Each structure stands twice: as C-alpha cells, then as structure tokens.
Amino acid sequence: MDGTDCQVAIVVSTFNEVVTSRLLAAAESTLTQLGTPQNHIQLVRVPGAFEIPLIAKTLAQSRRFDAIICLGAVIRGETPHFDYICAETSRGIGRASLETGIPVIFGVLTTDTVDQAMERSGPPERNKGADAARTAIEMALLMKHLSKTNIRQSGFLREPTKS
Ligand code: INI
C-alpha cells in the first residue's frame, strides 16, 4: 500500500490520554511508513469519544480528506455511561462515513479495564491505532480506485448469474 497521495485527518480524544496518545503515536508512525507525508496529516483533538463523530463528519464534509481516522478509549471500569458512549460513538462514526462517502475509520478501544486498553495500544502489531491507519490508507486507495474505474470492469462487482 502506498499512502503518498492520501490526505488524512486524525480525530483523537483526550479522555484516557495515557492510552489515546499511544494510539495516536502508532497511527502517525504507520502512516509515515506507508508514505503519507506529515503535511498531509491533519490532527484534531476532542474532549471525549462521544465528541468524535461530529468532528469526524465535519472533516469528511470538507472534502479535503481521503480518510478520517477516529481514535479514542472508552473504559468500562470508569463509567456507568460506558454502553451509551460506545453505542453513540460507533453509530456516529459509521453514519459519518455513510452520509459523506468518505472512509471514517473506527479506531476506538472499548475495554473493561485500563490493562486491556494498554494491551491493545502496545507495539504496532498489537495497536488499534496502527490497524486504523492501515485501514484508512487501504480504504482511501480503494475509493480512489473505484472513482477512477468503471465499476463493472474493476472486478469488484460480479455479474449476476443467469438462471
Ligand atoms: N470518554 C471517553 O473517551 N472515554 C471514557 O472512558 C469516558 N468515560 O469513562 O466517561 C468518556 N467520557 C466522556 C464522554 O466521551 C464525553 O466527553 C462527555 O460525556 C461529554 O459529552
């Protein structure tokens, strides 16, 4: 995958920053490894995961980005609102993508404990921020490809079988 020509925005929440800073570092270094230059990466910080969808949608609507990466950490031990925050964040991120046609990637950890969140924000091979960055570039390239090719000839669609 070559992310050289991709414009990417990262929305990261500052709640549980000890975890989200690790997701962010892994996402940024993965983008760099995939060739995306620093000046093609726009970083926006929001207070909590609940605030991610609005900003992600606003960035997607600007049409300036090929993909938006959403990073956050919701930890059950710390809130009775866990289920509400997770549900709204995931639904909102999904809607932002479908309503704008821009890939908006779900890189939000939802864990029972801080230890689990630390485990999933560790080295690049076990880091959800790194996964989200790879997915963002893969989806950005896929969307670019689909917009350039005749969709029927691209191999993504199979002709219906005649009965
Ligand atoms: N936000 C998070 O991103 N993670 C959490 O674990 C969390 N907890 O525990 O409450 C959290 N709460 C804040 C929430 O996302 C909003 O910022 C807040 O409710 C204001 O809308």
Side-chain angles (χ1 to χ4, degrees):
M1 284 198 294
D2 181 3
T4 311
D5 292 327
C6 294
Q7 297 282 344
V8 179
I10 302 176
V11 186
V12 60
S13 53
T14 47
F15 207 103
N16 292 321
E17 194 166 17
V18 65
V19 176
T20 62
S21 60
R22 290 155 56 105
L23 298 175
L24 177 61
E28 288 182 320
S29 71
T30 300
L31 289 175
T32 301
Q33 277 166 26
L34 294 173
T36 307
Q38 208 64 47
N39 63 356
H40 287 201
I41 303 171
Q42 174 77 56
L43 178 64
V44 183
R45 294 180 197 275
V46 296
F50 192 81
E51 284 70 42
I52 291 174
L54 174 62
I55 302 305
K57 186 175 178 184
T58 304
L59 292 166
Q61 282 172 327
S62 75
R63 319 307 297 176
R64 286 179 46 214
F65 302 102
D66 300 303
I68 317 290
I69 300 170
C70 301
L71 302 176
V74 193
I75 300 175
R76 186 186 291 276
E78 295 180 16
T79 176
H81 306 316
F82 178 86
D83 294 321
Y84 299 104
I85 294 173
C86 292
E88 284 309 309
T89 304
S90 58
R91 192 174 14 246
I93 289 173
R95 281 184 56 183
S97 195
L98 292 175
E99 289 171 7
T100 60
I102 302 289
V104 182
I105 309 304
F106 188 80
V108 179
L109 288 174
T110 57
T111 63
D112 286 333
T113 65
V114 174
D115 283 353
Q116 287 169 351
M118 294 300 275
E119 169 67 21
R120 293 170 204 175
S121 58
E125 59 281 6
R126 286 197 318 277
N127 189 304
K128 196 162 180 65
D131 287 348
R134 273 189 295 274
T135 305
I137 298 302
E138 186 173 349
M139 286 298 291
L141 296 175
L142 181 54
M143 294 298 281
K144 280 174 190 277
H145 181 73
L146 286 176
S147 70
K148 271 194 232 135
T149 1
N150 177 330
I151 202 163
R152 287 203 174 277
Q153 290 163 0
S154 68
F156 286 100
L157 284 187
R158 203 164 40 84
E159 291 298 328
T161 45
K162 292 195 181 80
S163 54

